[in-house]
Amino acid sequence: QVQLVESGGGLVQAGGSLRLSCAASRSIASIYTMGWFRQAPGKERELVATTTAHGTTNYADSVKGRFAISRDNAENTVYLQMNSLKAEDTAVYYCNAVLFAAPPIYARTDYWGQGTQVTVSS
């Protein structure tokens, strides 16, 4: 039970930077994992970066060294700082939250924002 709203997308030149924001409707400290995925036209959604409630991060190989995921727990917001953008980074970026039900079921539920368009011109 969480609503996610992304913002910060836009049009940038290759080599430029953008910072995406994902505002959650509940404390992100209580969410098991939050992250960013992206989907380009004709392609399946792919993981970009994730962060757990205790701070562990994970990145797709294609963005390592260029993107950084971070969060502000007080503001219930997760960020994706994107630097050295490339044309192939063009996609709709979606915020994701993963929650697990209480024991003994531990059922996983994924929540998604509506997405924000990132377009990188070459």
Side-chain angles (χ1 to χ4, degrees):
Q1 296 173 307
V2 57
Q3 296 175 354
L4 306 171
V5 180
E6 304 99 332
S7 62
L11 173 65
V12 296
Q13 295 288 114
S17 299
L18 280 175
R19 188 180 74 162
L20 306 183
S21 298
C22 173
S25 63
R26 62 183 291 175
S27 173
I28 61 173
S30 66
I31 299 174
Y32 187 79
T33 302
M34 295 198 69
W36 291 92
F37 289 69
R38 66 187 182 186
Q39 187 168 20
K43 297 184 178 181
E44 62 185 33
R45 189 172 298 183
E46 65 174 349
L47 181 148
V48 177
T50 62
T51 180
T52 68
H54 53 85
T56 301
T57 58
N58 183 51
Y59 296 92
D61 288 342
S62 60
V63 306
K64 287 181 179 177
R66 299 190 298 120
F67 291 9
I69 188 169
S70 62
R71 60 188 173 194
D72 185 335
N73 287 347
E75 297 294 329
N76 295 332
T77 300
V78 174
Y79 303 96
L80 183 69
Q81 179 66 46
M82 305 185 294
N83 299 321
S84 301
L85 283 162
K86 305 174 181 179
E88 50 262 45
D89 295 318
T90 296
V92 177
Y93 284 70
Y94 297 92
C95 185
N96 166 251
V98 177
L99 278 72
F100 288 90
I105 303 301
Y106 300 104
R108 170 173 171 159
T109 302
D110 279 60
Y111 295 88
W112 300 91
Q114 293 298 308
T116 184
Q117 177 70 48
V118 172
T119 302
V120 183
S121 61
S122 59

